[in-house]
Amino acid sequence: METVTKKSFINRDIMKSSILGAFKKLNPLYMIKNPVMFVVEVGFVFVVLLTIFPNMMGDVTEESARLYNAIVAFILFITILFANFAESIAEGRGKAQVQSLKKTKTVTEACVLLADGTQVKKQADELKKGDIVLVQAGEVIPNDGEVIDGIATVDESAITGESAPVVKERGGDFSSVTGGTTVTSDWLEIEITSLPGESFLDKMIALIEGASRKKTPNEIALNTLLVSLTIIFLLVVVTLYPMTTYLQVHIPIATLVALIVCLIPTTIGGLLSAIGIAGMDRVTQFNVIAMSGKAVESCGDVDTLILDKTGTITYGNRFASEFLPIQGVGKKELIRAAWLSSLTDDTPEGKSILALASQLDVDSTDEKKIIDTSEHIAFSAYTRMSGLDMKDGTKIRKGAYDSIKNKSVNAGYEVPKDLESLVHQVSSLGGTPLVVMKNEKILGVIYLKDIVKPGLKERFEKLRSMGIKTIMCTGDNPLTAATIAKESGVDSFIAESKPEDKIKVIKDEQSQGKIVAMTGDGTNDAPALAQANVGLAMNSGTNAAKEAANMVDLDSNPTKIIEVVEIGKQLLMTRGALTTFSIANDVAKYFAIIPAMLMVAVPEMSALNIMQLNSPTSAIISALIFNAVIIPLLIPIAMRGVKYEPMSASKLLRRNLLVYGLGGIIAPFIGIKLIDLMSGPILNLMGL
């Protein structure tokens, strides 16, 4: 996974807001959303009442019993606070970004263009869908919209963090603008496409704050499991009380509450929400806004990844790769002619030809003189060639095979016999042949290649090891598509693809029960983005694409879908690992509390007191303290996630059982014993 600038895990502001948040979340109406911790809160209230009225359940009335109840109540209270604190930290890590975004939501005055051509000043919050506004250099774009006239650069750093302005113009995939960004040059006429309070910026703020976060399907399923386990243990403990009473074994009510709290899955119950929020936060650190937690979670289940070729797998611009002279022409002569033809060519292709020629030691001593004294012939769709007319009458051209061939033949030159084979050689490799001509005499071919981004082959291999299939979609011909597919290492490709082809392949994969992810930025990508389980739209793309997708990449980097998939996998791994640890914890705590409860009345139970704890009271208090302390100790893992490594489901299960299952069993034995060694003498002094 690519490195990102890591935010501080916790700072003073996050700590302060998290502590306040932990207390605010004590509200029973909020706590009931987390049934496991709600049971702990009910137990806490019950034990507090027992502390105040120790004989209300017919329990003993000695002062020591009141003190014991108070200690249990305090530990339960701390347990609830720690669980709330974990969730508050997860929420707090998004506060800084939210504040930054809110700063852009200043009251903006907009210049509205009316149908009769007059201009009216309005506040941004008064704008309606369909209003046309004029925004000039230095002014803030008042709300989301589409450029309908003009061309300008826009500073989107308030949202993306990137300082380089982005060119926005009418039509194409760079016509959408976001409210709160600033026009840095020229002017734009913008049609407003969102209502006040419903802009992309508003949605981002709500999502990062967690106001719009809903539990995901997997989270709901796990919650159901936790609730089921809680109910089972409640029933067990409730039936245990009359049974022990019948056997004339006295067990304090506070001890039974402690037993419930230690046996129900409080660890994962306290961390579950934090894990989900942290997953969205990790995506946000990559400058990707997830429209829901379900989108992030779906990334972890992705089976098929659909990627565009241009801009995703390849750079999108063709670069000069090789000079291929015809027979009888020296390579240096061809390189010099290609260099001359590109001296005033500002296209990426022209610059790459100059760069390659320089690497091959072209004679460039007279560059400035040639530029100053020659006439630049720009490329046109009519001639399909460009070049240079020099002062001495020499004419250099480079262009499409047919155009150069026809011009040479019309001038009375014979087409070189090996020219067609060179052109075919380049085309068969998926490249673009540019033919070079000097005074109507053909010299050779420039091999332009759409370069595959470095490292993609290894990354696709990594995805393959995760069980994810990659499919490349391109409008290129099958020959070019096959070449790029082989070089990049994708599993399959669709050549000459149209928007409906993308939808078809998504539906075909989904019909087999697979989860599909894809990227896109244009209006024609919107249907496919909506159909995919995970649709990642580029922020530079159209509003239609962003509305259809469930994720938006603020950096407009199509390859980021790979990182997003890995974050989704990491989220599921983290949740699975901590659930395994939590349940294993409960098993270990059983051996601390059950023997402690019963071994005074049933001496045979002392055989199960394998930890040799100081006393029954010390055992229960130590187990409760460990149960509370383990939650904040696991917060860093919940926030940062379990380290991601591609592996099969069976291997992942074995690792979780070995590391977190075995660790979850061992940790309580060590932790409870250490706490017992420290708390035992203190409890003895207190007469407990």
Side-chain angles (χ1 to χ4, degrees):
M1 198 181 294
E2 291 180 2
T3 57
V4 293
T5 303
K6 291 186 178 179
K7 292 189 289 186
S8 171
F9 170 65
I10 190 166
N11 56 37
R12 184 181 297 175
D13 292 335
I14 293 177
M15 176 66 79
K16 183 179 178 181
S17 65
S18 298
I19 292 172
L20 290 174
F23 281 94
K24 288 178 182 178
K25 292 176 190 293
L26 290 172
N27 184 342
L29 294 177
Y30 184 89
M31 290 295 296
I32 201 169
K33 297 176 184 177
N34 186 340
V36 176
M37 298 313 299
F38 181 68
V39 168
V40 180
E41 186 170 52
V42 171
F44 159 70
V45 172
F46 197 67
V47 177
V48 167
L49 291 174
L50 284 175
T51 305
I52 301 170
F53 311 106
N55 61 346
M56 66 181 239
M57 295 292 294
D59 219 339
V60 292
T61 57
E62 288 87 350
E63 194 61 32
S64 60
R66 188 190 295 267
L67 180 59
Y68 172 68
N69 290 344
I71 293 172
V72 171
F74 177 75
I75 298 171
L76 293 180
F77 181 67
I78 295 298
T79 303
I80 301 164
L81 282 183
F82 280 160
N84 291 346
F85 180 70
E87 187 174 351
S88 295
I89 283 183
E91 293 171 347
R93 280 166 60 83
K95 297 293 183 184
Q97 186 171 2
V98 167
Q99 293 305 316
S100 175
L101 292 173
K102 282 183 175 178
K103 286 177 184 176
T104 70
K105 288 183 61 59
T106 54
V107 177
T108 306
E109 194 173 61
C111 178
V112 181
L113 301 178
L114 302 180
D116 59 5
T118 58
Q119 300 181 5
V120 177
K121 295 288 185 180
K122 285 187 179 181
Q123 297 298 317
D125 56 7
E126 297 174 351
L127 295 175
K128 302 174 184 175
K129 277 187 179 180
D131 282 347
I132 308 297
V133 299
L134 174 66
V135 187
Q136 302 192 50
E139 296 179 348
V140 175
I141 295 171
N143 214 335
D144 295 357
E146 291 278 350
V147 176
I148 59 173
D149 196 11
I151 179 170
T153 54
V154 177
D155 178 6
E156 297 184 327
S157 59
I159 295 174
T160 66
E162 295 294 329
S163 57
V166 180
V167 176
K168 298 288 183 178
E169 58 185 318
R170 178 181 177 179
D173 296 339
F174 294 89
S175 60
S176 75
V177 290
T178 305
T181 56
T182 306
V183 175
T184 55
S185 72
D186 305 295
W187 57 271
L188 294 173
E189 279 187 21
I190 300 166
E191 180 179 353
I192 300 301
T193 57
S194 66
L195 294 171
E198 297 178 3
S199 68
F200 181 61
L201 200 60
D202 292 307
K203 291 176 183 176
M204 284 172 62
I205 290 170
L207 286 163
I208 296 171
E209 283 185 321
S212 298
R213 192 184 108 82
K214 296 179 181 178
K215 283 185 167 59
T216 64
N218 282 351
E219 209 170 336
I220 291 170
L222 184 54
N223 252 322
T224 304
L225 173 63
L226 299 183
V227 170
S228 301
L229 290 173
T230 301
I231 292 172
I232 290 169
F233 284 120
L234 273 171
L235 292 173
V236 168
V237 174
V238 167
T239 55
L240 183 64
Y241 184 72
M243 288 173 60
T244 53
T245 302
Y246 177 77
L247 295 172
Q248 296 183 338
V249 176
H250 174 73
I251 298 178
I253 299 296
T255 299
L256 291 175
V257 173
L259 176 62
I260 293 173
V261 171
C262 284
L263 294 186
I264 64 175
T266 49
T267 306
I268 188 60
L271 294 172
L272 190 56
S273 291
I275 294 168
I277 296 170
M280 292 186 70
D281 180 65
R282 282 195 294 276
V283 171
T284 304
Q285 289 181 48
F286 276 84
N287 259 7
V288 173
I289 298 298
M291 298 304 180
S292 68
K294 182 180 179 182
V296 181
E297 191 173 87
S298 295
C299 289
D301 292 323
V302 164
D303 302 296
T304 304
L305 186 57
I306 298 174
L307 307 110
D308 280 327
K309 185 205 79 170
T310 306
T312 304
I313 293 174
T314 65
Y315 282 107
N317 294 321
R318 298 168 301 172
F319 295 91
S321 176
E322 193 175 354
F323 297 109
L324 305 170
I326 61 169
Q327 289 182 2
V329 174
K331 194 165 187 176
K332 285 192 175 181
E333 183 182 0
L334 171 62
I335 294 171
R336 171 74 176 180
W339 177 77
L340 288 169
S341 71
S342 305
L343 274 179
T344 55
D345 185 352
D346 287 331
T347 64
E349 292 87 349
K351 291 177 180 177
S352 73
I353 291 169
L354 293 177
L356 181 61
S358 297
Q359 290 175 21
L360 298 174
D361 297 325
V362 68
D363 180 12
S364 59
T365 54
D366 52 353
E367 178 180 344
K368 189 176 185 307
K369 180 181 177 182
I370 293 172
I371 293 173
D372 292 341
T373 59
S374 302
E375 181 185 356
H376 170 57
I377 307 301
F379 176 86
S380 75
Y382 178 73
T383 62
R384 298 178 66 205
M385 64 179 75
S386 64
L388 207 66
D389 285 351
M390 300 175 66
K391 186 179 180 181
D392 62 4
T394 303
K395 296 183 177 181
I396 308 292
R397 297 288 186 274
K398 69 175 186 292
Y401 166 62
D402 290 338
S403 300
I404 297 290
K405 182 181 74 171
N406 292 337
K407 187 173 177 62
S408 181
V409 170
N410 292 336
Y413 284 88
E414 185 178 346
V415 178
K417 295 179 181 179
D418 57 336
L419 177 63
E420 188 172 348
S421 64
L422 288 176
V423 169
H424 179 73
Q425 175 188 333
V426 171
S427 299
S428 65
L429 293 171
T432 301
L434 272 186
V435 181
V436 180
M437 179 174 66
K438 180 179 180 181
N439 293 332
E440 282 74 42
K441 178 186 175 183
I442 294 174
L443 302 180
V445 174
I446 303 172
Y447 174 13
L448 292 181
K449 183 180 180 183
D450 197 356
I451 304 294
V452 172
K453 293 181 178 179
L456 276 187
K457 193 162 189 175
E458 292 76 13
R459 295 172 80 181
F460 288 146
E461 181 61 40
K462 191 175 180 181
L463 289 173
R464 199 171 295 114
S465 69
M466 294 157 51
I468 297 175
K469 180 171 74 173
T470 50
I471 301 175
M472 179 185 77
C473 288
T474 176
D476 289 335
N477 62 66
L479 192 61
T480 301
T483 302
I484 297 295
K486 183 178 180 181
E487 188 175 343
S488 64
V490 294
D491 296 311
S492 61
F493 64 89
I494 302 172
E496 298 175 342
S497 69
K498 300 180 285 296
E500 52 267 32
D501 295 326
K502 293 180 182 178
I503 296 177
K504 183 179 183 301
V505 72
I506 291 171
K507 288 183 175 179
D508 288 346
E509 292 290 318
Q510 288 174 334
S511 67
Q512 300 173 41
K514 295 181 179 178
I515 304 296
V516 182
M518 78 157 288
T519 62
D521 58 4
T523 300
N524 61 350
D525 290 326
L529 287 168
Q531 179 66 40
N533 302 89
V534 179
L536 179 65
M538 304 298 103
N539 189 44
S540 61
T542 62
N543 279 323
K546 288 190 277 189
E547 288 293 331
N550 50 21
M551 287 187 169
V552 177
D553 176 19
L554 302 179
D555 296 329
S556 301
N557 175 10
T559 60
K560 203 180 285 183
I561 186 69
I562 298 173
E563 277 79 16
V564 173
V565 167
E566 291 183 0
I567 291 171
K569 294 278 186 188
Q570 185 185 40
L571 169 64
L572 296 183
M573 286 175 63
T574 302
R575 189 181 293 154
L578 292 183
T579 301
T580 304
F581 185 89
S582 177
I583 294 173
N585 250 282
D586 296 336
V587 173
K589 284 180 284 188
Y590 168 89
F591 286 96
I593 289 191
I594 296 295
M597 285 173 53
L598 301 175
M599 65 184 181
V600 174
V602 186
E604 291 81 0
M605 292 293 292
S606 60
L608 292 176
N609 186 20
I610 55 179
M611 286 189 274
Q612 296 298 306
L613 301 178
N614 187 64
S615 68
T617 302
S618 174
I620 293 163
I621 297 297
S622 299
L624 266 184
I625 292 174
F626 177 85
N627 190 67
V629 169
I630 197 64
I631 294 175
L633 291 179
L634 292 175
I635 288 177
I637 297 177
M639 296 295 102
R640 295 186 176 124
V642 174
K643 185 179 179 182
Y644 172 76
E645 292 177 11
M647 63 182 70
S648 64
S650 58
K651 187 176 179 182
L652 176 61
L653 177 61
R654 286 196 300 271
R655 193 185 79 163
N656 274 354
L657 290 175
L658 182 63
V659 177
Y660 294 96
L662 187 59
I665 290 175
I666 294 173
F669 282 97
I670 298 173
I672 291 171
K673 182 62 178 177
L674 289 174
I675 295 169
D676 176 73
L677 290 173
M678 292 183 288
S679 64
I682 298 172
L683 292 172
N684 288 337
L685 288 173
M686 297 169 69
L688 294 175

